[in-house]
Amino acid sequence: MNILMALSQLEVTGAEVYATQVGDRLTQRGHQVFYVSDTLNCPHKGQHFSLRFNKRSLPRRVWHVLYLIYLILRYKIQLVHAHSRASGWSSYIACKLTNTPMVTSVHGRQPVHRSRKKFHALGYHAVAVCENIAQQIIRDLGVPSEQVSVVRNGVDSQQFSPLPAANNDKPIIQIIGRLTGPKGELVYQLLKQCIDLDANQVQVISGSKVEPRFAEFENKVEFCGYSDNIRSTISQADLVIGAGRVAMEALLCQKPVFAVGEAKSVGLINLDNLPTALESNFGDIALEGKTELDIDYESVANQLKRAIVSASVSDELVTNIKAEYDLDEVCKKLLNVYQSAYVYTKKREIPIIMYHRVINDDSQHGVYGTYVTEERLEEHFQTIKAMGLTPITFKELAKIGLEHRFDHGKRYIILTFDDGYQDNYDLLLPLLKKYQFKAVIYAVSGTDHNQWDASHPTKPDQRFELMSPETMRDIDRSGFVEIGGHTLNHPKLAELSEPEQQHQIEQNKKDLESLLGRELTTFAYPYGNHSQQTKQLAKQAGYAYTVATDSGPIGLHQDLQQIRRIVMFPSTTKFGLWRKIRGNYTYRKAINKNN
């Protein structure tokens, strides 16, 4: 996808570090990432465009919106990820006007006033970096809970491996953070009231300009400026004081952290208070919006004295931090949000269409009408080609990567044929070769004909032959077909016992894999019939993609064990096909059904 990260800051912030690290990891995964912000000081791989979001007059905001629209159109942006209120407001308007998906990472508490409640401008989804922010957005701004989730700051844990304990004659305390705003006031009060500047060597690591009020500490405190290598900087520290990213990065280096932020003091981080630290982003975000005036600096001073003596970081604590903040896991969660934002904003998903038999003789109609004529199927193929869609298999989708199915310039479709009839070999395969299309055939392996229909007690169908093992092997080797599992003899799985379901799914998979000499990727529930237990059994059997019929979420990525398909009927014309596969059919049908 083409992704635009929108930020507003005049100095290095945690949001900037977060956005650039996530952006670089997304770039590694094959996405194209752009940035637009006032400044951008962190190293980054994508192109950066300068825009003065912090200039907020009405003419400026109009310019911001127009410039963002230009960027979206010029660089084919498919999703905007905002990281601040200033950039988010303008991005929201630009995305609305261009129908571009938008999500917002919320790094701090949001202001609460009437206009903000009515126009929160967070886009499709708000990603809060901690629980307290998520609760505040829901409670104070009235954002629906389903539009808010917690995705923590991502940290590349490989860059922050454990460091040995410092061996200093005089303890070194490092305070890391901005010297402006509430954080600047916090640093001032820590130096003024909480730290024994004679007994400890204090270093302040910050990219902010040192304000005149800090002059009284210049002979006792070392103001070291900005560091672009925190791991190297903190290697000499006995104790790190900070919040947000500072805390998590120091802990990953196994450096003791005294977490105190803009809202509260958590204290020396350990396994017992880690949950509280996570909820507040290590003290930066209080649940009820408390300010630094609520910090008991006398208590902080006493805690700091004890922390300097007893500070340590256990291996288990480091493991827990990695589990919460690992950059790859954070990116996976964000990509899941991105995909949902795209599907529900664009109202579009890859069409997956379902056929059964292909016939060229009226006598083969059968009772249930599960067929399409060879002539009609060729009309469908012509329409698919005219629409610029590329038919792929699930095996190819796995190779492309599910997250890349919406990449700019790509339009995919998946053609599926259930049961594995002989006519798929006789009539479908030649058409696939003619149009250079790919298809997925879901094969039954325990019978040689449509026994489930032919033996129906009240409405029997005529017999239609399935492919023989040899024919199935040949069609699989053609390079135009992927074979998937479809049980032994086509039962309604949810009506069977768990052992019976497991046998139907797993034995069918073993039969086909033994025949074809390769692992199967995908499975289809007969009749679309399944339960939660059935889904679990299919996943347990090793199927990455399991298709249903007219059920499942709109987004393919939302449940890979219940993927929606669009049914093709004998009467589906070229226009009917176009209407079903142009992208928004599944969305419209699901929404209408829910209403």
Side-chain angles (χ1 to χ4, degrees), residues 8-24:
S8 58
Q9 72 287 310
L10 301 177
E11 58 186 330
V12 177
T13 63
E16 179 179 327
V17 178
Y18 171 88
T20 52
Q21 287 195 356
V22 166
D24 282 355

Side-chain angles (χ1 to χ4, degrees), residues 374-446:
E374 182 182 18
E375 181 182 8
R376 178 59 56 82
L377 184 60
E378 182 157 21
E379 289 178 355
H380 286 188
F381 281 14
Q382 290 169 350
T383 301
I384 290 168
K385 189 168 185 178
M387 292 175 68
L389 295 168
T390 301
I392 59 172
T393 65
F394 280 106
K395 187 176 181 181
E396 289 176 322
L397 178 61
K399 187 178 294 185
I400 292 166
L402 192 63
E403 67 196 62
H404 289 288
R405 69 190 187 279
F406 301 127
D407 283 357
H408 179 71
K410 305 292 184 182
R411 295 188 66 196
Y412 299 115
I413 186 172
I414 299 178
L415 317 177
T416 69
F417 293 77
D418 282 11
D419 305 335
Y421 292 98
Q422 175 63 32
D423 56 54
N424 287 183
Y425 182 86
D426 297 334
L427 302 177
L428 168 63
L429 182 58
L431 285 177
L432 292 174
K433 291 179 177 178
K434 178 178 179 180
Y435 289 90
Q436 292 295 292
F437 282 3
K438 304 286 183 70
V440 180
I441 295 177
Y442 292 107
V444 171
S445 63

Side-chain angles (χ1 to χ4, degrees), residues 512-559:
L512 294 174
E513 288 180 344
S514 177
L515 172 67
L516 304 176
R518 62 170 180 79
E519 187 176 359
L520 266 61
T521 301
T522 182
F523 176 80
Y525 304 114
Y527 308 103
N529 180 267
H530 65 280
S531 64
Q532 285 300 121
Q533 186 181 71
T534 316
K535 290 166 64 174
Q536 185 58 38
L537 290 170
K539 185 176 181 179
Q540 181 181 305
Y543 284 115
Y545 302 96
T546 306
V547 298
T549 51
D550 190 22
S551 71
I554 297 171
L556 172 59
H557 62 286
Q558 293 176 295
D559 190 347

Side-chain angles (χ1 to χ4, degrees), residues 258-261 264-269 273-274 276-277 280 282-283 303:
F258 191 95
V260 55
K264 63 186 293 187
S265 173
V266 182
L268 184 67
I269 299 300
N273 64 12
L274 180 61
T276 302
S280 64
F282 295 95
Q303 292 177 49

